[in-house]
Amino acid sequence: MSTNQPRNIVVGVAGGIAAYKACHIIRAFKEAGDNVRVVPTEAALNFVGKATFEALSGNPVSTTVFDAVDRVQHVKVGQEADLIVIAPATADLMSRVAMGRGDDLLAATLLVATCPVVIAPAMHTEMWFNPATVANVATLRERGITVIEPAHGRLTGKDTGPGRLPDPEQIVDIANAVHNGARLPQDLTGKNVLITAGGTHEHIDPVRFIGNSSSGRQGFALGEIAAQRGAKVTIVAGSTDNLPTPAGAEVVSVVSTQDMFDAVYQRAADADYIVMAAAVADFKPESLASSKLKKGADEDSLSTIKLVENPDILATTVTRRDAGQFPHNPVIVGFAAETGDEHTSALDYARAKLQRKGCDLLMCNEVGMGKVFGQKHNEGWILDSRGGVVEVEQGSKLDVAAQIWDAAVAFRSDS
Ligand code: CTP
């Protein structure tokens, strides 16, 4: 249920070096028209000053329950919140929240709030894996709080590992999806997820290719949500819009359909779920010129490019799975971008495609001029091979990805 009403968003900031990234989060919500209230901990103000938070949010900032006592601030901020996003959250803050303490304004706000809460931790790897932190994160998740997996990368010192705060844009996207109803249960923990994303390019010569305008956003959104639900994610990506790698995922870059086919087969035997969101070139030039074709000299080669068919990665994966080649017997999800015509609706074309490809689930988008391709939003249906249809409401690609994972996990557990 997305709404265009301004939302009351509380941005909580704990005392970690990544506190400066909260400024981008505050700005993103403000630019989207939201009313933002920043509630830092006292320690956070060692990293970013109160004046910065007040200027960016346009609202007063305090850390203690003893400010604005006449307005009963220690309950009002939490009661009025539509969404609470805490970034960064330290191990100390999560421990206080898990204990149910109310010893500063942020902790008290969380005790009162009934809205969705999204916590983005950032800390050194040792602290993240400390059994106390692990237990606190599990407690928060059990209570329905979304705890975002930290990214893997450079930390404050010379060390690297899991513990980095994900990009502010990723945090905002996840928080918006959670606000719109996306669930991030840890139901993919221990599962291997393989996703194809983006568009493939079929080269004609070293500088020209046949391609398409797929941005890769839907595939990356699927990777993002799967990683947040506990999966080990590999995305085999063709050309994309330079998207950031989702926290906790690995991206394998490929160019052509054959490359994508090969990369999928090297990994399919380990997969529990395979989702093919890539826009794959069905045909490739019969031959690849080793040097750039010239307008005059190579007129024939340029004006008539003979094409040959590429392998169908999805259909072949299904055939090999059904032949027992993949020990995890993965659930296989395909995509279809369809347009209807005067005889057949987009949905009917999708039903036929589901049967033809033999996959378990098919996400069908109705496309047309300006719809879906490269856009930030998506809508359509999820069809399953048992005859089920789920309508996918218009929402961001993360919202849609969460619904696809709900369907894929349900399909597996019903099998
Ligand atoms: N796909 C694939 N390999 C191909 C073509 C498509 O794996 N060579 C996958 C896509 O990633 C997608 C699904 O198959 O998940 C459907 O893609 P689409 O292009 O709609 O399928 P086509 O068989 O090419 O159907 P159409 O004739 O409608 O283009």
Side-chain angles (χ1 to χ4, degrees), residues 349-415:
Y349 276 124
R351 282 200 179 98
K353 187 164 287 178
L354 174 70
Q355 254 194 337
R356 202 167 65 242
K357 301 270 184 182
C359 51
D360 304 308
L361 299 169
L362 188 81
M363 170 71 213
C364 170
N365 308 114
E366 191 166 9
V367 289
M369 300 306 289
K371 270 180 143 179
V372 183
F373 248 39
Q375 306 283 307
K376 283 199 162 174
H377 290 76
N378 209 345
E379 64 192 310
W381 306 270
I382 302 169
L383 313 184
D384 74 51
S385 56
R386 300 168 187 148
V389 184
V390 176
E391 196 158 322
V392 176
E393 276 177 40
Q394 189 174 22
S396 72
K397 296 208 173 187
L398 281 183
D399 296 340
V400 171
Q403 293 175 69
I404 293 170
W405 282 118
D406 288 346
V409 170
F411 191 91
R412 187 166 193 114
S413 60
D414 290 349
S415 301

Side-chain angles (χ1 to χ4, degrees), residues 202-226:
E202 302 299 343
H203 273 273
I204 299 165
D205 68 16
V207 293
R208 300 184 181 90
F209 57 81
I210 299 169
N212 60 66
S213 56
S214 169
S215 66
R217 285 182 198 283
Q218 187 61 70
F220 275 59
L222 282 153
E224 178 102 56
I225 297 286

